[in-house]
Amino acid sequence: MKQEEFEQAIRGLPFKESAFFESIGSTNDVIAEWASQGVKGLSIAAADEQTSGRGRSGRRWFTPPGSALAFSLLLDLAPSFDKAFLGRASGLGALAVNEALEKIVLQPEIKWPNDVLVDGKKVAGILPEAHWSGERLQALILGIGVNIAADSVPPANELNFPATSVEQSSGKKIEPGKLLRAILDGLVMWESRISQPSFIDAWQTKLAYLGKLVQLENADGPAVQAVIEGLAEDGGLKMRMRDGELRTFQAGEIQLRPLLTEK
Ligand code: BTN
C-alpha cells in the first residue's frame, strides 16, 4: 500500500495519531513506543513492509513490500470497560476483517480466537498485546496482518497452518486502501460495542468448526479431541470434552486443528 492510499483510507476516521511507513520492523512496536510516550486515544500505524513482523506464539509474520495489509491500532476502550472481557479484544480485529471480507469472498470464517480463514486457509492474523503497569491496563494494541497478493503468503515450509491470500481466494484484484477502510469502519463500530452481548453473538456466528469435533493442541500435553460449543462471555472458547465435561479455554492456551475429514 502507498502512503496516499493509507491517507485516503483513514480520512474522516477518529484517529488521534496516525503514521505510515514504507518499511518498519513491526507496527505493533511503533504503537508500543507511542503508548510509552503517553499517546492516548484510538491511533494507527501502518506499513507497506515489515522487516521483523511478529505473529502469535513468537512466530515470524511475513510482510514483503506491496503485497499485504500490516497495521496496528492503539485501542481506546471506555473507562467502564471490564478487564475480565479483555479476551474479547482478540475477536475484535477478526470480526472486523471477517465482515470486510464478506463483500469480496464467499463465507470467510474465524478460527478461534482470531485467525481469518477463507476455504479453510488463513488469510489474516491478529496479534493483540496488552501492556500493564501493575494492575492498570496501560495500552491495548491490536496488530492486524492481511495477505492480499500471493507474494504475502510465506513458503509452505514456514507455515504452521495452510495459508492463502485474498486475491488468490477471490480471483479478484484487490485495492488495499478500500479493504483497509472497510476493516477500520468495522473496528470503530465494534470497538464501541465490545462490552455488549451482540459482540459475542456476531463473533460466534463467524466461528469456523462451530458444533464440530476438532483437535486441541497445547504446549504441554498430547492433542485431544473436543466439540466446539461456542463462546464464553469473556471471549474464551467453550468445548465439550470427550468425557462430557464442558471446559472453557482462553486464547493462547490451545490451538485448534480441524480433523482430517474436514477441510
Ligand atoms: C498471527 O496470526 O500469528 C498474528 C499475525 C499478526 C501480524 C500483524 S501485521 C501488523 C502487526 N505487526 C506485527 O509485527 N504483527 C502484527
Side-chain angles (χ1 to χ4, degrees):
M1 185 171 50
K2 306 248 180 317
Q3 169 121 26
E4 307 83 73
E5 289 174 276
F6 171 72
E7 278 164 12
Q8 193 170 346
I10 66 166
R11 195 159 297 153
L13 292 176
F15 289 115
K16 193 83 202 243
E17 298 287 340
S18 64
F20 177 83
F21 302 88
E22 262 174 27
S23 181
I24 195 84
S26 158
T27 53
N28 266 38
D29 293 344
V30 173
I31 296 284
E33 178 63 27
W34 289 357
S36 74
Q37 289 167 1
V39 169
K40 297 219 175 330
L42 184 66
S43 297
I44 181 168
D48 186 48
E49 173 188 30
Q50 292 186 116
T51 51
S52 39
R54 287 183 281 115
R56 285 190 300 130
S57 312
R59 280 188 287 270
R60 201 166 82 89
W61 185 260
F62 193 61
T63 317
S67 65
L69 287 181
F71 60 99
S72 303
L73 300 160
L74 176 63
L75 296 183
D76 183 30
L77 298 171
S80 60
F81 177 71
D82 183 350
K83 309 286 176 297
F85 281 0
L86 215 50
R88 292 187 178 210
S90 265
L92 177 61
L95 186 52
V97 171
N98 186 291
E99 290 187 343
L101 287 180
E102 273 174 347
K103 292 156 207 144
I104 304 174
V105 295
L106 216 55
Q107 264 198 355
E109 295 179 303
I110 300 173
K111 175 171 158 289
W112 181 88
N114 50 20
D115 287 343
V116 182
L117 310 182
V118 176
D119 284 337
K121 294 182 188 163
K122 178 163 167 173
V123 291
I126 321 285
L127 181 64
E129 290 180 327
H131 290 235
W132 296 89
S133 153
E135 296 273 284
R136 208 170 59 83
L137 179 63
Q138 250 188 344
L140 190 54
I141 301 169
L142 205 56
I144 302 185
V146 184
N147 300 338
I148 296 212
D151 286 353
S152 62
V153 180
N157 62 353
E158 285 194 31
L159 289 178
N160 136 76
F161 193 86
T164 187
S165 63
V166 182
E167 289 192 347
Q168 285 167 299
S169 54
S170 66
K172 295 177 195 151
K173 180 93 189 101
I174 302 299
E175 288 185 52
K178 286 203 176 146
L179 180 57
L180 175 62
R181 177 58 185 237
I183 296 170
L184 294 176
D185 282 338
L187 271 161
V188 168
M189 191 273 282
W190 282 117
E191 189 196 38
S192 66
R193 298 187 191 174
I194 193 166
S195 298
Q196 298 178 7
S198 63
F199 175 83
I200 289 287
D201 293 346
W203 182 9
Q204 177 162 298
T205 58
K206 314 288 183 200
L207 282 187
Y209 329 125
L210 186 61
K212 303 227 169 93
L213 187 66
V214 294
Q215 181 123 317
L216 304 188
E217 294 178 355
N218 71 18
D220 40 51
V224 292
Q225 294 181 355
V227 173
I228 299 189
E229 294 262 322
L231 291 173
E233 253 211 307
D234 62 1
L237 189 66
K238 293 189 286 188
M239 307 280 316
R240 181 72 59 186
M241 310 309 287
R242 275 272 153 115
D243 61 5
E245 187 196 354
L246 187 65
R247 289 183 58 185
T248 301
F249 293 90
Q250 299 304 324
E253 287 181 342
I254 50 159
Q255 292 221 36
L256 299 183
R257 296 274 157 186
L259 291 177
L260 291 176
T261 48
E262 301 281 335
K263 256 192 290 190

